[in-house]
Amino acid sequence: MLTVVTVEDLIAKGFKVYSFSKLGTFNNCQYEYYNTYILKNKGIENCYTLLGSTIHNGIELIYSGEQNEDTFKNKYYNKLTELELLGINFPNDKIKASWVADVNHFYENFKKMDKKMLLEKHIIFEISDGIWMQGYIDSISPSELGKPYIDILDWKTSSKFTGKKLTEAGRQLLMYKVGLESTSNFKVNKVAWFMIKYIYVCSNGKSKVKKKMCNRGKWVKEMRDSLEKDLLKLQMETFEIELLLDKAVQDNNINCLPNEVRGKYWLEDCIVEYEITEERINEFKEYIIDTIKEIESKNIEEESEWIAVEIDSKNSFYCSVLCGHRKTCKYYKQYLDENANKFDKKTKKDGFDLFS
């Protein structure tokens, strides 16, 4: 029989319990970690985490049957309005319009998946001698392989993952697999993300279904070239094609196009599987263990040991928008002072307040 372990029990025995987000904070910026977890400074929220929490909570409630679709939508739209009134803004109007268009499309076209789900499963497990991790798995559902196999699905409101970010995000899914298998009788078959901002535009190819991953809020625009080729095959006039496509892009649907074209395409939710390999699992474990060892090697009495991220144009978005201590961080304030002349009038006009 598996023994149930609680965070309180572990802390009482002198163990520290880490989360994936906690380690991520350390690797993003040690100084932010120091402020948050050593000094216990509360910090401030940002629009992405607040809206992300609203979306996650809504999905959990609708799949558990505690909320209907109207309430599901209304809570999200109310949160958008609330944040605007509170002045908790996106970096600029262009970024906001794109994000909102994508997520609004998700809500307006939401279809509940017809499958059993175990939601927000809390796991606590020992990944190595004395090193404990905890996390919440968004969704666990039965695998096509049957018992004891299951699939793990994680809801994501972020942009799609590529390169280094794919590896970083994949570690969290692998943590769920390792943690669940070490604390239950389940075996994990697949791990995947439900990418809320994206949609698969599907059509039949010669031998298999073709799928293109598009932003929900502008999927017709991203498919315009393909749609134009289809319309040209119908021997339509160029000016008529342009008028139809302009309307389709504006409406972000293809209802105005001829049946021959409309019937060729359909939309599917964007679920992206992350391949499980021994190499990736070993890399994930090394990442966890090495990060925790580095954290615990530092002197909590010496602020200078907790190094701030080197701020440049590539990561200033994190410091200006995502960091909870962006209003008080002395390193970010120094960066702003040193680069004040580089922030042009257009950026300020767009409402991108780098120290808000």
Side-chain angles (χ1 to χ4, degrees):
M1 184 174 179
L2 295 167
T3 303
V4 177
V5 180
T6 67
V7 173
E8 291 75 18
D9 289 341
L10 292 170
I11 292 174
K13 293 176 182 178
F15 292 106
K16 294 179 181 177
V17 182
Y18 291 89
S19 67
F20 191 81
S21 61
K22 194 172 183 178
L23 302 188
T25 298
F26 178 82
N27 283 307
N28 280 324
C29 178
Q30 295 179 20
Y31 189 65
E32 183 189 7
Y33 183 97
Y34 175 76
N35 267 284
T36 303
Y37 299 107
I38 306 301
L39 299 184
K40 307 294 184 183
N41 291 331
K42 184 173 174 55
I44 56 175
E45 299 280 10
N46 64 73
C47 61
Y48 294 103
T49 55
L50 290 170
L51 286 167
S53 295
T54 297
I55 294 166
H56 272 77
N57 292 340
I59 291 172
E60 180 186 357
L61 291 173
I62 203 165
Y63 274 101
S64 65
E66 299 175 57
Q67 186 171 275
N68 61 35
E69 290 193 15
D70 287 338
T71 305
F72 177 57
K73 292 179 184 179
N74 289 337
K75 283 189 175 181
Y76 159 71
Y77 288 122
N78 289 341
K79 193 66 176 182
L80 270 179
T81 303
E82 177 191 333
L83 295 187
E84 188 171 338
L85 292 172
L86 292 173
I88 302 175
N89 300 317
F90 286 81
N92 59 47
D93 290 342
K94 183 178 179 181
I95 290 174
K96 178 181 179 179
S98 178
W99 193 95
V100 170
D102 290 334
V103 178
N104 283 4
H105 186 278
F106 165 75
Y107 273 89
E108 295 305 324
N109 297 275
F110 176 80
K111 291 181 181 178
K112 188 176 177 182
M113 288 182 282
D114 185 20
K115 59 167 67 177
K116 291 183 179 179
M117 288 188 182
L118 176 62
L119 305 166
E120 289 294 309
K121 169 67 175 174
H122 185 213
I123 53 171
I124 307 172
F125 66 101
E126 189 176 26
I127 193 169
S128 182
D129 187 29
I131 296 180
W132 289 84
M133 294 289 295
Q134 69 167 326
Y136 288 86
I137 304 174
D138 285 350
S139 166
I140 300 170
S141 58
S143 166
E144 59 190 14
L145 299 180
K147 293 181 180 180
Y149 292 96
I150 56 91
D151 296 330
I152 288 174
L153 188 63
D154 195 36
W155 318 105
K156 284 296 178 187
T157 55
S158 58
S159 297
K160 56 189 174 183
F161 308 119
T162 57
K164 182 181 177 182
K165 289 192 176 295
L166 178 66
T167 300
E168 292 172 352
R171 290 179 185 136
Q172 186 171 24
L173 292 180
L174 296 177
M175 185 191 83
Y176 295 153
K177 169 185 164 60
V178 171
L180 190 63
E181 289 183 343
S182 65
T183 57
S184 73
N185 294 319
F186 290 127
K187 297 295 180 184
V188 177
N189 179 38
K190 295 178 182 178
V191 294
W193 299 286
F194 187 115
M195 304 300 290
I196 287 171
K197 288 172 54 183
Y198 299 90
I199 196 80
Y200 281 134
V201 182
C202 308
S203 61
N204 287 313
K206 291 182 179 179
S207 58
K208 62 179 182 179
V209 172
K210 296 189 295 184
K211 294 185 177 183
K212 181 177 179 180
M213 185 178 181
C214 295
N215 285 80
R216 282 181 174 269
K218 55 182 179 182
W219 74 265
V220 178
K221 182 178 180 180
E222 293 178 6
M223 290 295 296
R224 182 168 183 144
D225 289 347
S226 295
L227 295 170
E228 183 176 8
K229 290 177 183 177
D230 292 330
L231 292 171
L232 286 170
K233 291 177 183 177
L234 300 179
Q235 297 183 335
M236 296 176 65
E237 295 289 343
T238 303
F239 79 92
E240 186 181 2
I241 290 175
E242 289 302 311
L243 287 173
L244 285 173
L245 289 177
D246 286 346
K247 177 170 175 50
V249 168
Q250 182 179 355
D251 296 343
N252 197 38
N253 65 57
I254 57 175
N255 295 342
C256 66
L257 301 187
N259 290 336
E260 296 93 328
V261 176
R262 278 208 317 270
K264 181 178 176 179
Y265 297 95
W266 68 93
L267 303 180
E268 291 183 2
D269 288 326
C270 186
I271 297 175
V272 179
E273 186 177 342
Y274 187 69
E275 185 183 3
I276 300 170
T277 66
E278 280 301 314
E279 183 181 3
R280 283 177 166 176
I281 290 174
N282 290 335
E283 190 278 336
F284 143 74
K285 290 180 178 179
E286 288 175 8
Y287 164 81
I288 298 293
I289 294 167
D290 291 348
T291 301
I292 291 175
K293 284 182 177 179
E294 187 176 357
I295 290 171
E296 296 186 349
S297 71
K298 292 186 175 294
N299 185 347
I300 62 173
E301 304 295 333
E302 290 292 334
E303 180 181 305
S304 60
E305 286 196 19
W306 303 83
I307 310 301
V309 64
E310 185 176 343
I311 309 172
D312 55 31
S313 59
K314 293 180 180 179
N315 61 20
S316 62
F317 176 84
Y318 185 88
C319 295
S320 64
V321 178
L322 303 180
C323 177
H325 306 288
R326 56 190 179 274
K327 282 193 173 182
T328 56
C329 176
K330 60 185 179 182
Y331 297 105
Y332 182 51
K333 180 66 166 60
Q334 181 182 350
Y335 169 78
L336 291 180
D337 291 342
E338 291 174 352
N339 293 274
N341 61 331
K342 295 182 181 179
F343 304 133
D344 59 31
K345 293 181 180 179
K346 183 179 183 303
T347 304
K348 294 176 182 177
K349 184 179 178 182
D350 286 343
F352 193 0
D353 183 354
L354 291 172
F355 205 57
S356 63

